[in-house]
Amino acid sequence: QVQLVESGGGSVQAGGSLRLSCAASGVTGNWRCMGWLRQAPGKEREQVARIHLGIGVTTITDSVKGRFTLTRDNALNTVYLQMNNLKPEDTAMYYCAASGAFGGRCLAWTDWGQGTQVTVSS
């Protein structure tokens, strides 16, 4: 069974940091991209960061550029989202996701974790 398991969420004050982890297990050979999305109450799900595992290219959404960093550990099948200088507007449920790719282009997300809550207080 394929699984994505997130960890590392929590509550911090504005300006603080958290690191989210997403460990993939099971048949992961079809996955070529992994990333993080978030959804705040009453808002649509938003893609935060994505990495193409084959070529190592990372995409970060503008609202978190310079504050969030996505890295990977291929040996552990794990990706990490380092979040620094957190703001109250970063408060959301954060989901890890995975997908295939066509060449250098990531396809639509096909697998999801259960999510981990991040709460940033002012």
Side-chain angles (χ1 to χ4, degrees):
Q1 183 179 358
V2 173
Q3 279 191 315
L4 294 168
V5 179
E6 303 105 330
S7 61
S11 298
V12 295
Q13 290 189 327
S17 298
L18 286 172
R19 188 177 81 153
L20 306 182
S21 300
C22 174
S25 62
V27 181
T28 61
N30 291 329
W31 292 343
R32 292 295 179 264
C33 300
M34 292 181 69
W36 292 90
L37 297 90
R38 67 185 181 185
Q39 188 166 21
K43 295 188 177 181
E44 293 187 356
R45 192 169 292 188
E46 171 192 28
Q47 181 172 296
V48 176
R50 181 186 67 202
I51 185 167
H52 189 298
L53 301 173
I55 59 178
V57 174
T58 302
T59 303
I60 306 289
T61 193
D62 287 345
S63 62
V64 304
K65 274 183 181 176
R67 301 189 296 122
F68 289 14
T69 304
L70 181 63
T71 58
R72 61 175 173 170
D73 185 326
N74 286 344
L76 296 178
N77 284 336
T78 300
V79 295
Y80 305 94
L81 185 67
Q82 178 66 44
M83 306 184 295
N84 298 326
N85 191 21
L86 283 160
K87 303 177 180 181
E89 51 264 41
D90 295 319
T91 295
M93 184 70 79
Y94 283 69
Y95 297 92
C96 181
S99 76
F102 183 75
R105 184 170 61 89
C106 294
L107 301 176
W109 302 112
T110 55
D111 295 274
W112 300 83
Q114 293 298 308
T116 185
Q117 178 68 36
V118 171
T119 303
V120 185
S121 58
S122 58

